[in-house]
Amino acid sequence: MSAIAVIDFETTGLSPAQGARATEIAAVRLEQGRIVARYQSLMHTGAWVPPYIEQLTGISNRMLDDAPPAAEVMRDVTRFTAGCALVAHNASFDRGFWRHEQALAGCADADDVEFACTMRLARRLYPEAPNHRLGTLVAWHGLEAGGRAHRALADAEMAAQLWLRIVRDVERRFAADASFALLCALQQAPRQRLAAAAARFFERCD
């Protein structure tokens, strides 16, 4: 398994297309199946944090007044994640903000990054789970959880623990080595066709 960076954003809303901006980012770097480094920063964009978002995340407009500029943060986190494959829980959300904030910061190749999604994988691997929210899956698996939910570093660390559990389960079911490419293939397959999707993946690799 290559180096992995598990990403989590906190934001002012649901989508950059609706004018939302990032307020915080965290990245947890995994190598050889363990956490080796962490990055976390608030980020100042000038965007207003609505009261319900402040209540959810604990991130206030006042906190962001003293945060480093978003472009500086994105350049820092891009360096931190260099050489890593990227993972997030509900990755379509985080990928949208990653691409948007990277583009605004002038980071190269923002549109070319592929994310693996722990939520999509969990829906296929664990249909019996009560639901597929991050906190529920972490508790259901008995994984380590620390820090405040809906803060970027705590959520990134929980998603990293879930990713490692998914890797172990895929290796037991399908492969000696659950590569990032295999997991990306499985997240696109129907739940009932996971074994066939794994077999096709290995055929293409031969």
Side-chain angles (χ1 to χ4, degrees), residues 122-136:
R123 284 175 173 166
R124 287 151 176 78
L125 294 166
Y126 315 121
E128 69 276 22
N131 60 62
H132 296 93
R133 293 191 292 268
L134 179 58
T136 300

Side-chain angles (χ1 to χ4, degrees), residues 71-200:
E72 175 185 319
V73 172
M74 290 308 300
R75 288 191 289 268
D76 286 346
V77 75
T78 298
R79 286 190 290 269
F80 178 85
T81 60
C84 292
L86 299 183
V87 173
H89 195 77
N90 190 15
S92 61
F93 173 87
D94 293 281
R95 183 177 60 242
F97 282 95
W98 177 267
R99 290 175 173 175
H100 184 70
E101 297 294 347
Q102 275 207 324
L104 291 175
C107 299
D109 302 325
D111 290 336
D112 296 335
V113 177
E114 182 176 18
F115 275 71
C117 181
T118 52
M119 185 170 72
R120 292 180 68 186
L121 285 161
R123 284 175 173 166
R124 287 151 176 78
L125 294 166
Y126 315 121
E128 69 276 22
N131 60 62
H132 296 93
R133 293 191 292 268
L134 179 58
T136 300
L137 289 164
V138 167
W140 187 69
H141 281 298
L143 303 174
E144 183 178 349
R148 173 177 173 154
H150 302 296
R151 288 301 298 266
L153 185 56
D155 286 355
E157 290 191 341
M158 286 194 294
Q161 295 294 336
L162 178 59
W163 171 261
L164 292 173
R165 174 58 187 261
I166 287 170
V167 168
R168 290 195 297 270
D169 288 345
V170 167
E171 287 176 346
R172 281 195 291 264
R173 288 178 62 174
F174 303 120
D177 177 25
S179 67
F180 180 81
L182 171 61
L183 290 164
C184 286
L186 293 179
Q187 74 183 16
Q188 299 178 42
R191 176 169 58 84
Q192 299 85 353
R193 301 286 296 167
L194 286 184
R200 285 197 302 273

Side-chain angles (χ1 to χ4, degrees), residues 17-100:
Q18 299 173 358
R21 294 292 304 272
T23 57
E24 184 179 41
I25 187 171
V28 174
R29 188 177 178 109
L30 302 172
E31 295 180 9
Q32 303 299 316
R34 63 187 184 90
I35 296 173
V36 297
R38 298 167 175 85
Y39 176 93
Q40 177 274 333
S41 182
L42 295 170
M43 47 201 300
H44 179 74
T45 67
W48 178 69
V49 180
Y52 77 95
I53 294 290
E54 180 178 343
Q55 184 175 12
L56 178 69
T57 66
I59 299 172
S60 68
N61 289 289
R62 181 173 296 181
M63 290 167 63
L64 296 179
D65 285 343
D66 297 325
E72 175 185 319
V73 172
M74 290 308 300
R75 288 191 289 268
D76 286 346
V77 75
T78 298
R79 286 190 290 269
F80 178 85
T81 60
C84 292
L86 299 183
V87 173
H89 195 77
N90 190 15
S92 61
F93 173 87
D94 293 281
R95 183 177 60 242
F97 282 95
W98 177 267
R99 290 175 173 175
H100 184 70

